[in-house]
Amino acid sequence: MLAAAIAPGEPAIVPTMTVQGITIPDWSRMSFASLPPVQAGGQIAIAAAAASRAGDDPSRSWSPGTSLADLLTLGDLQHDFALEQLTLAAIAQITGLDLAQVRLANFGLLKQQTISSLVAAIPGLGDYPVAAVKPLAALIAKYSSNTVSWSSERLAPLAVFPILAAATAPTGQTLKAIASDSTLGQLPLHTAALEQYSLNDIPGLSQTSLGEFAGWQQAAISTVPGLADVPFKAMPQSMGDFLGFVAIDDVTYGDSGDKEHTQTLTAHSITGSDRVGFHYPCVQTRSCAYLELASPTFLGNFGSPELHGAQWIKGGTEPGGQMVAGGHGILAEVNGGKEPTGRLPFGSAVKVVLVSDNEAEGRGDFALFFRICHSFLGCTPYFIGPVPFYSVHEKGVVIVGLTTLDKPGWIQQPSTPADVQSIIDANQDPNAPQINQSCLSSLVGDVKSGDEEAATGRIPDLLQAAQKAGITDPAQVAYILSTAQTEDDFTPQDEGNDSFKQSGHAGSYYGRGDVQLTWKSNYQYWSNRLGVDLVNHPELANRSDIAADILVYGMRDGTFTGQKLSDYLNTSTGHLDYVGARHIINDSDKAELTGAAAQQFEHSLEHCSTLETADNGGPTTTGNYPGQLIHSADGNATEQKIVQSINAHYGESSANGPDNGNEACAYEVNQVLQSSVGHKIGSNPNYVPSVEAALKDGAGTQVSAAQSHAGDVVVFQGSQGEHIGFCMDNGCYQVVSNSSSRAQFSWVGDRSSYDAYYHSSSSQHIYRVNG
């Protein structure tokens, strides 16, 4: 249920900044702590079966007046803010928090840990002697007494635990040894005297990313010291300052005003959702309240002629308000699948909704609405709110964001201007892919003014990457081109958000290329996949051909968000969702603009029937996979052969395997082994327990994660089933296996993400195949 309008009186005050004379919100001075609480209660209720499969249950309820920091968790926001990438040290640097003055008891996520999970989370902590880490030493000593109970059971005296006796001896034991004990490793930290120690009393705690701690997804923002005070602009995925246009509130039509739209659709709506689009009309028996906008010339570049007469419709369930479909996946069913109509001018993180308009006073009140997203369950509609944002009076500025008219036929094919043609003629590189000139001229003629020169040199690389990736659908090729235009104006470049780059949160691995590739793990992933050393040379992510490969293969395979080109664009079937396709990159930011440009490029591609490209030395391709999935391997000869076979099989269909590829993880492992070592493993090579039994019985040698190499076999046995795949690197940080949803040998992910999916942290084994 949505709250009524924001209480009459003074508008909500948010920090602002002035850009070219236009006042807009200043996200560098706003945080979850500074925003008002939600004005309406609500709930999220997920079926037990879905929650069990997902690994954690996002169900909850809240009341009016609940703060966002108490309501929202790290897992809720990983899609939009990626808060789990922060460390306590980074938070302290941003907010000025003195970690030495913060008690361990104030770090709620720490209280959810056991000794074992804490040692697993903090690199190097297991190498410390017990006595060197006072909070843990005190906890262990506490449970050495036979007078203390834990989990409703009496613990035996110290003598029963030889490892504990050794730990308290002068020579001591390491925390790694304690963590490996089935009893002591499970001692819960919430029973320790955490209020006696500061955050600095556990080595490495403040340098560890929040996402490394067990259960981080369920941790509320307020349970992490200082996190609620981190400005939105300084978050790993920044909300950004402002996207697009503003307009003027020309006339306010309130609940008792214009009744025309009880019978006829609004003609020029610019509101809706990322499900139904942002030109969703309104007609309802209770009428549609709205602001009629204008775009006078004094707004300059921030104005748009398209906004003359545009209607920002009131959202919500109150009189005059409109509700629209929203959300994605299983969570789309929350709140009846509905959210208030509005816009996303600041990206996908928050929705801006007109929640009240007073015709007599000529005033409109805007509020923010939030959603939650889950890795497996999707995203709820934007219904968590309203959070008062700002108010506007007639002739005041309304923040609109990007907008294009999506009426059929509004795009007109332009001719190529003479100056653009001269740029094309003067910038032909004889070593570049050879592109049909009429084709290139037509495509460059479509780009935004000022981007022609960059596009002339860039489009050939993008077309070549699409050709190598086997993308022939013109709608998909066109959307690749429009994405490159939207993301960086055809110029791969460093992170534009200088404050984030300078903060050093990502070290040398700040955003680069078309998709702003960030964080070392992602640079490592693309290094493995393309056979280019981006880890030691991250600047190569800005090289046009490499950036093109990352963009094209990532869009084809759904690497960035889990959504891929074929989900939205298929010319042969007529499924052409140009607006929805924006989810492939970053949900709905600039969705209409990118979709409109793609349609224009697709029209021009009709002139490219004789399109020709030539390989200019980019990453090689074998079969239907780009380059090498695993670029280097340090293991023995057998492991090296297995790695070569993994590269050869990567991306192949497993539809011939059990259950049409849905249960083909063991099948694909044995396909690789048959090609590399000449035989399959297991009396039933399609059954994970059978394969593991054979590995234990001489076909393999069990090794630890620290000893593992690329090509070793990893088995997951958890409460959510069993799975098997291959390690992709030393330490088995990344794993490749069969993807059931795609029936394809292409699931690449962190080993920890596999653990979370199968609940297998205590039953995970790695084996080296014995030739």
Side-chain angles (χ1 to χ4, degrees):
M1 170 175 184
L2 298 175
I6 294 176
E10 291 299 315
I13 302 299
V14 298
T16 60
M17 59 190 297
T18 302
V19 178
Q20 298 182 22
I22 302 297
T23 299
I24 61 175
D26 184 356
W27 296 105
S28 69
R29 293 189 290 151
M30 283 192 284
S31 64
F32 281 110
S34 70
L35 288 178
V38 297
Q39 292 192 323
Q43 67 173 353
I44 298 170
I46 304 299
S52 175
R53 181 65 175 167
D56 59 271
D57 189 351
S59 299
R60 75 202 68 172
S61 61
W62 60 94
S63 304
T66 302
S67 73
L68 289 166
D70 289 335
L71 171 57
L72 299 174
T73 71
L74 302 185
D76 295 343
L77 304 173
Q78 58 184 307
H79 180 86
D80 292 318
F81 294 106
L83 298 178
E84 74 278 4
Q85 296 177 3
L86 290 171
T87 65
L88 290 171
I91 293 171
Q93 181 182 5
I94 295 168
T95 64
L97 181 69
D98 184 355
L99 298 179
Q101 300 303 312
V102 180
R103 301 290 91 185
L104 290 175
N106 297 124
F107 185 17
L109 188 53
L110 179 71
K111 293 192 287 187
Q112 301 175 24
Q113 307 303 306
T114 64
I115 292 178
S116 179
S117 69
L118 190 68
V119 168
I122 302 177
L125 181 63
D127 297 329
Y128 279 81
V130 170
V133 185
K134 294 180 180 179
L136 301 187
L139 175 62
I140 294 169
K142 174 181 178 180
Y143 285 106
S144 69
S145 168
N146 61 358
T147 63
V148 179
S149 63
W150 170 55
S151 298
S152 302
E153 296 181 3
R154 291 283 177 183
L155 288 182
L158 176 62
V160 175
F161 301 112
I163 192 171
L164 182 57
T168 55
T171 55
Q173 277 284 340
T174 65
L175 285 170
K176 184 184 301 182
I178 295 293
S180 66
D181 184 83
S182 59
T183 299
L184 299 179
Q186 299 307 308
L187 291 179
L189 267 65
H190 71 82
T191 61
L194 299 178
E195 67 281 353
Q196 298 179 14
Y197 304 95
S198 81
L199 295 176
N200 290 338
D201 285 327
I202 296 181
L205 179 68
S206 62
Q207 287 77 41
T208 301
S209 298
L210 299 176
E212 295 297 323
F213 295 100
W216 64 269
Q217 294 93 339
Q218 293 82 44
I221 295 171
S222 60
T223 65
V224 179
L227 183 57
D229 296 314
V230 173
F232 291 111
K233 186 72 176 292
M235 292 175 179
Q237 291 180 193
S238 170
M239 188 172 310
D241 290 326
F242 171 65
L243 303 170
F245 304 109
V246 298
I248 298 299
D249 175 10
D250 193 27
V251 182
T252 300
Y253 291 100
D255 301 337
S256 60
D258 185 3
K259 298 295 185 181
E260 173 188 357
H261 302 297
T262 60
Q263 302 294 327
T264 60
L265 290 171
T266 52
H268 194 174
S269 166
I270 59 164
T271 51
S273 73
D274 58 1
R275 280 278 300 279
V276 301
F278 293 95
H279 296 283
Y280 198 74
C282 181
V283 60
Q284 49 194 11
T285 57
R286 60 187 183 183
S287 81
C288 306
Y290 59 90
L291 304 184
E292 185 169 301
L293 306 181
S295 185
T297 57
F298 71 77
L299 292 177
N301 292 334
F302 281 115
S304 169
E306 296 177 10
L307 296 175
H308 281 300
Q311 298 156 324
W312 185 307
I313 298 169
K314 175 182 173 180
T317 59
E318 298 299 316
Q322 183 187 27
M323 298 291 284
V324 294
H328 305 278
I330 293 175
L331 289 179
E333 301 302 317
V334 170
N335 203 46
K338 297 292 186 178
E339 63 186 55
T341 193
R343 293 189 63 80
L344 302 173
F346 305 105
S348 63
V350 295
K351 188 171 190 177
V352 179
V353 175
L354 175 67
V355 293
S356 173
D357 57 350
N358 188 309
E359 186 172 350
E361 297 181 7
R363 190 191 78 211
D365 298 318
F366 290 89
L368 301 178
F369 283 80
F370 290 78
R371 65 177 181 178
I372 74 166
C373 290
H374 189 281
S375 297
F376 303 112
L377 299 175
C379 297
T380 69
Y382 292 90
F383 82 109
I384 300 173
V387 175
F389 191 38
Y390 76 99
S391 295
V392 63
H393 286 80
E394 288 182 355
K395 313 310 175 186
V397 172
V398 176
I399 300 167
V400 175
L402 287 172
T403 180
T404 58
L405 292 175
D406 55 357
K407 297 177 181 177
W410 75 272
I411 301 174
Q412 299 296 321
Q413 172 68 18
S415 59
T416 304
D419 57 338
V420 173
Q421 187 61 55
S422 66
I423 292 173
I424 295 173
D425 295 338
N427 284 275
Q428 294 307 306
D429 181 353
N431 296 318
Q434 300 304 301
I435 305 298
N436 176 284
Q437 287 303 294
S438 64
C439 167
L440 184 59
S441 296
S442 181
L443 290 170
V444 173
D446 294 338
V447 306
K448 293 187 302 182
S449 176
D451 289 351
E452 295 90 354
E453 186 168 3
T456 302
R458 190 78 206 292
I459 286 176
D461 282 336
L462 293 165
L463 293 177
Q464 182 197 30
Q467 183 189 56
K468 287 190 301 179
I471 299 174
T472 58
D473 188 312
Q476 295 182 14
V477 174
Y479 201 83
I480 289 168
L481 297 179
S482 68
T483 298
Q485 176 173 264
T486 295
E487 292 299 315
D488 56 25
D489 297 325
F490 293 107
T491 305
Q493 56 196 281
D494 284 0
E495 170 69 56
N497 184 346
D498 292 337
S499 65
F500 176 66
K501 177 179 176 180
Q502 293 171 5
S503 73
H505 295 163
S508 300
Y509 304 103
Y510 48 78
R512 292 183 177 89
D514 292 307
V515 292
Q516 292 298 278
L517 191 67
T518 310
W519 305 108
K520 184 177 181 180
S521 61
N522 290 323
Y523 279 79
Q524 182 67 67
Y525 170 85
W526 286 104
S527 293
N528 294 339
R529 187 160 179 178
L530 298 179
V532 178
D533 187 3
L534 299 177
V535 173
N536 292 313
H537 299 283
E539 70 280 358
L540 290 177
N542 280 335
R543 204 174 81 181
S544 179
D545 57 339
I546 294 174
D549 283 329
I550 293 173
L551 175 70
V552 169
Y553 292 125
M555 293 179 72
R556 185 194 72 175
D557 299 337
T559 300
F560 307 123
T561 66
Q563 307 293 306
K564 56 186 182 293
L565 284 166
S566 60
D567 292 336
Y568 297 94
L569 301 167
N570 189 321
T571 301
S572 63
T573 64
H575 178 55
L576 299 173
D577 183 1
Y578 287 99
V579 174
R582 189 63 178 147
H583 292 291
I584 299 167
I585 297 295
N586 69 353
D587 205 4
S588 57
D589 170 33
K590 305 183 183 179
E592 294 162 312
L593 189 69
T594 308
Q599 293 177 71
Q600 186 66 69
F601 284 128
E602 183 182 7
H603 179 79
S604 292
L605 284 170
E606 295 176 4
H607 299 282
C608 298
S609 58
T610 58
L611 176 66
E612 297 174 354
T613 60
D615 194 343
N616 67 343
T620 59
T621 302
T622 301
N624 65 347
Y625 69 95
Q628 293 180 315
L629 177 68
I630 304 175
H631 180 54
S632 62
D634 299 330
N636 58 34
T638 298
E639 289 168 303
Q640 299 276 1
K641 291 179 182 179
I642 293 173
V643 165
Q644 293 175 11
S645 183
I646 291 170
N647 285 335
H649 283 269
Y650 175 72
E652 74 178 4
S653 171
S654 59
N656 291 329
D659 193 18
N660 298 316
N662 188 49
E663 299 289 345
C665 57
Y667 167 86
E668 274 299 324
V669 164
N670 271 308
Q671 291 290 101
V672 170
L673 294 177
Q674 178 71 56
S675 299
S676 55
V677 298
H679 60 83
K680 297 180 180 180
I681 291 177
S683 57
N684 182 348
N686 297 333
Y687 185 47
V688 175
S690 176
V691 175
E692 183 171 24
L695 288 167
K696 289 180 176 179
D697 195 30
T701 302
Q702 189 169 348
V703 297
S704 67
Q707 297 169 323
S708 63
H709 300 136
D712 289 339
V713 176
V714 55
V715 179
F716 303 91
Q717 292 276 5
S719 60
Q720 298 302 310
E722 62 274 338
H723 195 72
I724 190 169
F726 290 103
C727 299
M728 291 177 56
D729 50 13
N730 293 340
C732 202
Y733 293 103
Q734 286 191 305
V735 174
V736 58
S737 69
N738 179 67
S739 169
S740 296
S741 61
R742 299 179 186 174
Q744 186 181 64
F745 183 53
S746 62
W747 183 8
V748 174
D750 293 337
R751 179 161 47 91
S752 58
S753 67
Y754 277 81
D755 273 341
Y757 189 85
Y758 289 101
H759 295 186
S760 59
S761 58
S762 60
S763 301
Q764 174 203 127
H765 304 120
I766 301 174
Y767 300 91
R768 183 156 300 149
V769 176
N770 294 333

